[in-house]
Amino acid sequence: MILGIGTDLCNIDRIAKVLDRHGDRFRKRVYTDTELALAARRMREAETLAKRWAAKEACSKALGTGLAMGIAWKDMAVRNLATGQPTMQLTGWAADRLAKMMPPGHRAHVHVTMTDDHPWAQAFVVIEALPDDVIPG
């Protein structure tokens, strides 16, 4: 069962300008160390971080809150599986909100997809409740 859907469109040039202006202060406020390490390894840091910004915004919308009600940027972290598929790790208030959304006997599966085509980065997040006896495929 689908519990939440969120999307966001982010301007890559806007993120690049914020990186130029605020540098590490911005990076440390919004992104986890893992996200920053990945971006540092990529040739186009702004594109990588813009996609993650969009994913965090989309996730907050899928949670039904937007970036209000106590969610911190770092409560939503984009991780990549060995296959490269993005996933979303929720901690803090975001994890608490997700737990409250779950019906009894279900667990969450957060689907994430991201793309970029300069000057845009886009992400979609779908929060699905799976019965405890179903293995996601």
Side-chain angles (χ1 to χ4, degrees):
M1 128 184 25
I2 303 299
L3 298 179
I5 300 171
T7 185
D8 193 65
L9 184 65
C10 177
N11 186 288
I12 295 166
D13 293 333
R14 181 176 143 241
I15 296 296
K17 288 176 187 174
V18 172
L19 289 168
D20 288 344
R21 194 172 329 124
H22 300 287
D24 284 340
R25 188 172 60 151
F26 171 73
R27 286 179 185 90
K28 298 282 186 195
R29 184 175 69 87
V30 175
Y31 303 101
T32 65
D33 290 341
T34 302
E35 290 170 318
L36 292 172
L38 175 69
R41 290 193 307 269
R42 302 249 170 109
M43 289 184 60
R44 298 181 315 216
E45 178 191 30
E47 284 87 346
T48 299
L49 295 179
K51 284 189 288 189
R52 277 145 183 80
W53 173 282
K56 290 168 187 260
E57 285 273 8
C59 184
S60 72
K61 293 170 185 173
L63 288 168
T65 64
L67 284 162
M69 300 171 59
I71 291 181
W73 287 101
K74 288 185 177 184
D75 285 350
M76 302 166 289
V78 177
R79 303 272 193 249
N80 293 88
L81 302 177
T83 60
Q85 178 183 357
T87 62
M88 185 70 69
Q89 179 183 19
L90 302 180
T91 58
W93 195 95
D96 293 343
R97 169 72 178 157
L98 181 61
K100 289 176 184 164
M101 294 171 67
M102 282 302 109
H106 289 72
R107 70 185 182 293
H109 185 77
V110 182
H111 303 269
V112 180
T113 186
M114 303 180 298
T115 190
D116 67 276
D117 186 8
H118 197 272
W120 301 108
Q122 185 174 33
F124 291 92
V125 172
V126 175
I127 299 175
E128 180 180 20
L130 296 173
D132 286 336
D133 60 350
V134 173
I135 300 171

